[in-house]
Amino acid sequence: MTGNRILSLLAHRLAILAYVAFALFPLYWLLKVSVTPNNLLYSEGIRMWPSQTSFEHFEFVLKHSDFPVFFKNSLIVSGSTAVIVTVLASLAGYAMSRFSFRGKYWIVTLMLLTQMFPLVMLVAPIFKILSPMGLTNSLTGLVIVYAAFNVPFATFLMQSFFDGIPKDLEEAAMIDGATQFVAFRQIILPLTLPGIAATLGFVFTAAWSELLFSLMLISGNDAATFPVGLLSFVSKFSVDFGQMMAAGVLALIPACLFFLLIQRYLVQGLTAGAVKG
């Protein structure tokens, strides 16, 4: 029995290790190509690591391309969208969790319907709406669109966290003289920090990697985000894989740092409700 348990545990650990290696291999290959000199990209064939490494691709991306502009635009759009959506979703999720009001069912149904339409089908109507307002080539327009599409899901996400907090805590605070808003701000909101972190992470990632709307609504490099900027490394007759991969590695840094900052709350948020007691 002991031997079988050891074999089972070993097989389980090997399966996890194989899955992690499979998941991280694209990132490893991204880094490998980004440090491979141009003269070795095709001459060496497929190797697990180049015989020589160079940071020439990173130097070109940072000094001789518009990537810093794309990078800044993505930070502005993703950060603004994450904050706006999280604030709105927190308030809406709390209302959905704690209050019963006329039309609540239809509001929930409408929010669910917004998640069912293919995004490609909505590009033309959104462009027609934003164009007269001068928002088709601006970061503000992108933030509005991203926020509109992320608020419904984020609201349901936050509602699930508020549903897990007993109403007795608020009632006890209001008995002691606190208002509903004070009870929400001082008692409920701190308890939902894991949920807020999870929502922030989800929305930031969704806005950071979104391509369709940024490609269709932005026509110039001044307001382009980095997913669109990566296409600038694709010319008519060739693709600068080294520079594209270097830009991809740089684009991963803010997302990784962001998740490191909220990791403590994110893990709690993702595992909330997984076990009872």
Side-chain angles (χ1 to χ4, degrees), residues 73-83 143 146 200 203-209 225:
N73 292 339
S74 287
L75 282 178
I76 294 173
V77 171
S78 301
S80 301
T81 302
V83 172
V143 172
Y146 292 169
L200 272 172
V203 177
F204 183 88
T205 304
W208 184 260
S209 59
T225 55

Side-chain angles (χ1 to χ4, degrees), residues 5-224:
R5 288 182 178 178
I6 293 176
L7 289 176
S8 177
L9 181 62
L10 182 60
H12 181 259
R13 294 295 187 268
L14 288 176
I16 294 177
L17 182 61
Y19 175 77
V20 171
F22 175 78
L24 295 181
F25 184 77
L27 299 180
Y28 160 77
W29 202 257
L30 184 77
L31 178 62
K32 179 256 182 186
V33 175
S34 68
V35 297
T36 303
N38 271 328
N39 60 333
L40 299 180
L41 273 176
Y42 302 101
S43 61
E44 284 194 332
I46 299 178
R47 293 171 57 101
M48 293 306 295
W49 194 253
S51 58
Q52 297 179 5
T53 58
S54 172
F55 291 97
E56 62 184 42
H57 301 307
F58 290 94
E59 183 178 0
F60 179 88
V61 168
L62 293 174
K63 296 182 179 180
H64 305 290
S65 72
D66 291 327
F67 181 80
V69 177
F70 305 146
F71 192 82
K72 180 192 69 175
N73 292 339
S74 287
L75 282 178
I76 294 173
V77 171
S78 301
S80 301
T81 302
V83 172
I84 292 173
V85 170
T86 302
V87 171
L88 294 178
S90 298
L91 298 175
Y94 180 78
M96 293 293 183
S97 175
R98 292 296 191 262
F99 303 119
S100 297
F101 50 88
R102 181 179 300 177
K104 178 179 178 180
Y105 171 81
W106 295 108
I107 292 176
V108 173
T109 302
L110 182 62
M111 288 195 300
L112 285 174
L113 287 175
T114 61
Q115 307 298 299
M116 300 173 63
F117 291 97
L119 295 181
V120 176
M121 191 178 81
L122 302 176
V123 171
I126 289 176
F127 185 88
K128 190 173 182 179
I129 293 173
L130 296 181
S131 183
M133 296 184 288
L135 297 175
T136 54
N137 193 31
S138 70
L139 301 181
T140 304
L142 279 182
V143 172
I144 293 174
V145 173
Y146 292 169
F149 279 97
N150 283 287
V151 162
F153 180 81
T155 298
F156 292 126
L157 188 62
M158 288 302 302
Q159 180 184 353
S160 66
F161 286 103
F162 287 122
D163 288 341
I165 299 176
K167 295 182 180 180
D168 297 342
L169 297 176
E170 296 165 272
E171 295 174 354
M174 287 187 285
I175 290 176
D176 290 338
T179 62
Q180 183 92 36
F181 179 75
V182 172
F184 167 75
R185 181 172 57 87
Q186 295 185 355
I187 297 176
I188 304 302
L189 203 57
L191 294 177
T192 57
L193 284 179
I196 292 174
T199 304
L200 272 172
F202 167 79
V203 177
F204 183 88
T205 304
W208 184 260
S209 59
E210 202 282 328
L211 174 62
L212 179 63
F213 286 111
S214 59
L215 182 62
M216 296 299 177
L217 299 179
I218 302 299
S219 58
N221 288 345
D222 292 339

